[in-house]
Amino acid sequence: MRITGRTRLAGIMGWPVAHSRSPALHNFWIEEHGIDGAYVPLPVRPEQLAEALRALPLLGFRGCNLTLPHKQMALSIVDRVEPLAHRIGAMNTVIVMPDGTLEGRNTDVFGFRENLRERAPDWTPTAGPAVVLGAGGAARAVVAALIEARVEEIRIVNRTPARAERLADDLAAPATRMTIRTWGERDAALRDAGILINTTSLGMAGEPALKLDLSQSPPTAVVVDIVYVPLETALLVNARQRGHRVIDGLGMLLHQGRPGFEAWFGRPVQVTRELRAAVLTTLTGSR
Ligand code: ATR
């Protein structure tokens, strides 16, 4: 990498931020396209998020990504929030506009949609109900993407039903029926399903296993895990053995970076096999 007097800057704010794969992702694209740019980790304490965001235009940054714990708090700090991020209640991308104001976006919906399109091109929203495990921030992005795709029915399965109800209320859309299932009903919820998405932390390295019986789901159902450490979760191994098409969590992570990169560095980028391999090496041995 060569830093010049004109290097464009972007980065990721988080606390902690050292675990983030975004620097590996964005700097791969910077190198690949020979861009005079750099993408740096920005460790920012929650109580200093407003100051840090306000400093972006002053320091010449084009913008940044946000990771835990900043994704919600930033909504009330930036000057404009795109409607989608507002509806989801979280933003992961900040764009510094030409006039120095800050715009907040959520690119997780884009990431999920593009990854699904790439990895399961045959999937259609009419394939059957979508079953979403979890009701956290990731689930909200996934549900928003399924609504955007015009899935007719979404079954939300969560340990804490009140959280699932809040999600369904916040994202309610006329063309999609959302139903809530208890955690104990998760196996039965798979009946007739066209797609299953695990958005919980279960199955992630260091977390408890996801106990799920896939026997009631049609073998045609696509099975998606947004966990990417490990890349091959027990859910995906089991689903593949049963003949399901499976999609791991790395692709969503890679695709969600594209809109920010294009806005900051002015170049459209793709998710290639080489990019996957480069980011995969940063996952090895990590949790
Ligand atoms: P994120 O923003 O990444 O989605 P989150 O908001 O912490 O993370 O959500 C984690 C999800 O995993 C939640 O749906 C959570 O269920 P609750 O809403 O009941 O907390 C789910 N989850 C975490 N641990 C779980 C467990 N042991 N059993 C069932 N669900 C679990």
Side-chain angles (χ1 to χ4, degrees):
M1 190 204 300
R2 207 164 53 93
I3 303 284
T4 70
R6 292 192 179 81
T7 299
R8 292 187 183 200
L9 291 173
I12 178 157
M13 290 186 190
W15 187 262
V17 79
H19 65 281
S20 172
R21 272 72 199 202
S22 291
L25 168 63
H26 289 277
N27 287 308
F28 179 94
W29 280 326
I30 286 170
E31 295 269 322
E32 182 181 45
H33 294 281
I35 291 168
D36 186 1
Y39 183 101
V40 293
L42 299 165
V44 172
R45 292 175 186 274
E47 60 273 22
Q48 286 168 331
L49 179 64
E51 282 172 89
L53 285 172
R54 288 280 159 225
L56 286 172
L58 307 182
L59 296 171
F61 273 71
R62 301 293 176 122
C64 70
N65 284 123
L66 298 171
T67 185
L68 295 177
H70 302 322
K71 289 182 173 192
Q72 283 93 34
M73 204 197 300
L75 291 172
S76 58
I77 297 170
V78 297
D79 302 296
R80 254 183 326 281
V81 177
E82 61 159 16
L84 182 65
H86 189 72
R87 218 162 354 114
I88 292 171
M91 53 178 274
N92 66 347
T93 303
V94 179
I95 314 289
V96 175
M97 306 305 280
D99 64 358
T101 57
L102 304 177
E103 185 170 300
R105 301 182 187 169
N106 186 309
T107 66
D108 287 330
V109 176
F110 174 90
F112 179 79
R113 183 188 70 214
E114 290 293 300
N115 191 39
L116 183 60
R117 187 179 292 170
E118 180 194 303
R119 312 294 284 196
D122 305 338
W123 175 81
T124 67
T126 54
V131 179
V132 176
L133 302 183
R140 285 176 167 254
V142 167
V143 168
L146 294 169
I147 289 171
E148 188 187 77
R150 301 196 155 266
V151 170
E152 281 170 19
E153 183 188 350
I154 303 176
R155 299 171 181 162
I156 302 160
V157 185
N158 199 46
R159 177 180 59 178
T160 311
R163 218 169 165 207
E165 276 156 26
R166 214 172 318 129
L167 183 160
D169 285 349
D170 289 351
L171 295 179
T176 302
R177 188 154 51 92
M178 279 196 261
T179 56
I180 316 277
R181 308 292 170 97
T182 65
W183 189 242
E185 292 168 336
R186 63 192 183 282
D187 297 340
L190 296 173
R191 202 170 301 146
D192 315 323
I195 186 166
L196 160 70
I197 305 107
N198 173 44
T199 75
T200 73
S201 46
L202 297 174
M204 196 185 289
E207 299 290 331
L210 169 61
K211 296 203 179 87
L212 189 66
D213 177 359
L214 295 176
S215 62
Q216 297 195 52
S217 66
T220 48
V222 176
V223 176
V224 187
D225 203 335
I226 69 157
V227 168
Y228 55 86
V229 180
L231 198 57
E232 281 271 311
T233 59
L235 170 65
L236 296 188
V237 170
N238 182 18
R240 186 180 285 118
Q241 280 167 0
R242 301 185 69 92
H244 293 275
R245 179 187 287 271
V246 303
I247 303 180
D248 65 54
L250 184 58
M252 179 176 173
L253 173 81
L254 302 179
H255 280 286
Q256 65 75 33
R258 288 172 46 204
F261 190 93
E262 294 177 15
W264 306 319
F265 299 109
R267 289 285 283 271
V269 281
Q270 300 302 322
V271 171
T272 58
R273 204 171 297 162
E274 292 73 25
L275 172 66
R276 251 182 96 83
V279 177
L280 254 182
T281 60
T282 71
L283 299 177
T284 317
S286 57
R287 292 162 56 101

